[in-house]
Amino acid sequence: MTGTTPKQYILGLRLEYARDLLLETDVPVAQVAERCGFSDSFYFSRCFKNHFSTSPRQYRKEHA
């Protein structure tokens, strides 16, 4: 129905929520990762970069 696996779909939702937090708050990236269910902020950054083609910090900087 969505064209992705359930795991990819949920990861996408978590990353979209992370993007919203990065834009709407000034919470540190590590806390954004934690709030979105990532226990490892480095893994979060890698997933975010794969999804949005930029790092979480750079995304916040460019869209703030």
Side-chain angles (χ1 to χ4, degrees):
M1 192 171 201
T2 63
T4 64
T5 66
K7 183 179 178 180
Q8 290 172 327
Y9 179 74
I10 291 170
L11 178 61
L13 290 176
R14 291 166 60 197
L15 292 170
E16 296 289 331
Y17 179 56
R19 181 192 61 189
D20 293 343
L21 288 175
L22 289 169
L23 295 177
E24 297 171 3
T25 69
D26 57 353
V27 174
V29 172
Q31 287 183 7
V32 169
E34 192 175 293
R35 288 185 185 185
C36 295
F38 292 88
S39 59
D40 182 349
S41 61
F42 294 109
Y43 177 68
F44 163 70
S45 292
R46 190 169 66 228
C47 290
F48 191 94
K49 188 168 186 174
N50 286 338
H51 193 79
F52 294 107
S53 301
T54 188
S55 70
R57 286 194 176 114
Q58 192 65 32
Y59 189 89
R60 176 181 269 166
K61 187 177 180 181
E62 291 174 357
H63 294 90

